[in-house]
Amino acid sequence: MNVLEPLWANVDENGHLALPADVMAQLGVEPGTRLRLELGANSIKLHRPITQLAKIYIEPTNRCNIDCRTCMRQNWDVTMGKMSARTFAAVEASLAELTPPVTVMFGGIGEPLLHPKTADMITAVKALGFRAEMITNGTMLTERRAKQLIAAGLDLLWVSIDGASPDSYADVRLGAQLPRVLENLRRFRRLRRPAHRPTPEMGIAFVAMSRNIADLPEVLNMGKSLGVKHFSVSNLLPHTPEMEEEILYRRAMNNITYQPSSWLRRLNIPKMDFNEQTAEPLLKAFDSGYNVTFAGNNLGEMNDVCTFIEQGAMAVGWDGRIAPCPPLLYHHVGYIRGYRRESFAHIVGDIHEQSLKTLWQTPEYEAYRDRVQRFAFAPCTACGGCDLLENNETDCFWNEAPACGSCLWAQGVIQCP
């Protein structure tokens, strides 16, 4: 599909909307497939159908060689381990059943390069014709490992960098050194095969918080000098009371709009220069209490979508447990609006007992995805909070576990690469 050319859908004499064949293939749409629609002022948004499995997160290990302030391991008590050959063989056999090819992201709570066979896993995934991505802290990206990843055919390497100076970086990523990571990335860049678009492509993931947000422009410049093509900025999910003081989205949570759209005051702003003259007025306009649309993109209304279900994703832990998303592989604690919130793990299967395709197609799991895509998210992020916020077992709409009302991914506050 040529993305430079406009795409067209046709309406037949019976009023049925017909999508182009390549779009249907890309989204896994077959006759009879039900698609969620969102109506805009002048557009219709089609969501990926819940029937398409399109992305698999694989966690080679939950061990890590550094200690980050931002990580959920700050307050967890879980069994540590790495994926065995038996478990990955089950994963590989499951992947071989999937058509069309999916994207496989190697990552999770641990550092993938701590597993000695991660490059071999990537080789196996690429042999199936799938896209392979990986996220790393970059500290173990030695010349040998870099050559292995490149030879394996990795498509995209994400590196987490949360500071622009050695001191600010080390203040977040305890036990890591920024100069070492940057040297590893420069070497990785040099080792790639020369090409107009060399692979693996490189990306930087940045977790924004009070202590490091001033570093973001320099991190972007740093990435340009390294030939980085992708940048992903996320907010912080605090796992300790102290880290809740670091969040940058208090007003953003307050401004998420839960009223019917017909009740809202609306403000439409076009594209314009963002500079010393316009910055302060625009920021005040964004925070005016209006529902703001900037260059056609709505900034204020609630998202209320599970980003992982929208991706058609599943997550496989190092031990073979399967969850709808990486965060639900583990019982963990987060803090929101001063509440200590326990998120209990939600395991839907085990790779040793069921293949990914078989599990994905079970009526029970399809009904779960349908329920999450259609249910009303409780307004936990905008509400002042209540006792039901203390865990994800239910909410004020009496949704079943896992109740996702306070999920910051679902409101566009936190995002994964």
Side-chain angles (χ1 to χ4, degrees):
M1 179 170 53
N2 188 345
V3 295
L4 298 179
E5 297 179 357
L7 299 172
W8 299 94
N10 298 303
V11 179
D12 64 21
E13 61 276 9
N14 297 315
H16 298 152
L17 182 68
L19 300 175
D22 48 1
V23 173
M24 293 179 66
Q26 182 178 332
L27 293 179
V29 176
E30 299 177 351
T33 299
R34 188 170 61 89
L35 298 174
R36 177 183 174 184
L37 306 180
E38 282 188 41
L39 293 179
N42 302 297
S43 63
I44 298 175
K45 179 180 179 180
L46 295 178
H47 291 251
R48 184 189 303 277
I50 61 169
T51 52
Q52 187 194 29
L53 178 56
K55 188 169 186 177
I56 307 295
Y57 291 85
I58 296 178
E59 180 185 63
T61 179
N62 62 356
R63 295 190 176 115
C64 194
N65 63 317
I66 62 174
D67 184 24
C68 298
R69 296 183 186 275
T70 57
C71 187
M72 70 167 61
R73 67 180 65 246
Q74 291 294 333
N75 59 17
W76 71 346
D77 182 17
V78 303
T79 301
M80 311 295 285
K82 64 181 182 181
M83 186 170 285
S84 67
R86 170 176 170 265
T87 298
F88 183 72
V91 173
E92 185 179 5
S94 279
L95 293 175
E97 297 178 356
L98 302 179
T99 54
V102 303
T103 295
V104 177
M105 168 64 105
F106 289 88
I109 308 305
E111 167 53 50
L113 291 181
L114 269 178
H115 196 299
K117 297 294 184 181
T118 295
D120 294 337
M121 296 179 192
I122 293 171
T123 299
V125 165
K126 292 300 297 180
L128 295 172
F130 294 174
R131 177 177 174 83
E133 302 179 2
M134 191 187 83
I135 186 164
T136 174
N137 59 42
T139 61
M140 301 181 66
L141 192 62
T142 61
E143 182 173 350
R144 179 177 65 86
R145 288 191 174 95
K147 289 179 176 178
Q148 289 175 340
L149 294 175
I150 294 169
L154 183 69
D155 293 288
L156 174 56
L157 178 74
W158 286 97
V159 181
S160 297
I161 297 180
D162 299 326
S165 71
D167 288 343
S168 62
Y169 174 88
D171 183 49
V172 177
R173 298 194 161 263
L174 310 179
Q177 299 175 344
L178 181 60
R180 177 182 175 184
V181 171
L182 296 180
E183 178 53 36
N184 289 347
L185 290 178
R186 294 187 189 101
R187 181 176 56 238
F188 185 85
R189 182 188 187 189
R190 294 194 302 268
L191 289 172
R192 296 183 302 176
R193 299 178 184 88
H196 179 62
R197 294 181 178 177
T199 55
E201 293 179 345
M202 298 164 60
I204 287 179
F206 180 90
V207 178
M209 58 195 98
S210 292
R211 69 177 62 211
N212 72 348
I213 188 61
D215 282 16
L216 178 58
E218 184 55 34
V219 172
L220 295 176
N221 290 332
M222 184 187 302
K224 291 178 183 177
S225 70
L226 292 167
V228 168
K229 186 175 180 180
H230 305 273
F231 291 89
S232 176
V233 179
S234 178
N235 276 300
L236 165 74
L237 174 60
H239 295 290
T240 64
E242 296 75 20
M243 291 305 291
E244 190 175 9
E245 299 301 316
E246 296 282 340
I247 67 171
L248 301 173
Y249 48 87
R250 286 183 176 83
R251 285 192 176 184
M253 286 195 296
N254 292 338
N255 290 344
I256 292 173
T257 305
Y258 284 85
Q259 298 97 331
S261 58
S262 60
W263 297 0
L264 302 176
R265 299 185 303 261
R266 295 186 174 273
L267 171 63
N268 291 298
I269 299 177
K271 289 182 179 179
M272 65 177 65
D273 293 341
F274 196 80
N275 53 32
E276 293 181 358
Q277 182 179 13
T278 62
E280 184 176 353
L282 284 174
L283 288 174
K284 289 182 177 179
F286 292 157
D287 196 38
S288 62
Y290 282 77
N291 183 254
V292 179
T293 297
F294 181 74
N297 297 295
N298 189 276
L299 305 182
E301 289 182 340
M302 57 187 177
N303 293 62
D304 272 8
V305 291
C306 172
T307 56
F308 298 101
I309 286 180
E310 293 291 300
Q311 293 174 9
M314 298 176 82
V316 183
W318 68 268
D319 54 0
R321 296 176 308 137
I322 303 171
C325 63
L328 287 178
L329 280 171
Y330 295 100
H331 169 236
H332 61 278
V333 174
Y335 289 81
I336 180 172
R337 294 190 172 279
Y339 281 78
R340 179 184 185 274
R341 178 174 173 82
E342 284 192 87
S343 289
F344 296 100
H346 186 65
I347 305 304
V348 296
D350 191 301
I351 198 67
H352 303 104
E353 300 171 0
Q354 257 180 325
S355 73
L356 295 168
K357 182 177 181 180
T358 299
L359 176 59
W360 183 263
Q361 294 178 344
T362 58
E364 296 81 9
Y365 192 45
E366 184 168 333
Y368 164 79
R369 300 193 305 274
D370 180 71
R371 176 173 64 86
V372 174
Q373 192 179 65
R374 70 166 63 228
F375 72 39
F377 280 67
C380 303
T381 50
C383 177
C386 67
D387 291 345
L388 293 175
L389 190 62
E390 294 176 355
N391 59 58
N392 65 340
E393 292 185 316
T394 188
D395 56 32
C396 58
F397 290 173
W398 308 116
N399 288 307
E400 301 173 10
C404 303
S406 69
C407 178
L408 298 179
W409 280 269
Q411 298 304 339
V413 175
I414 294 179
Q415 58 182 6
C416 296

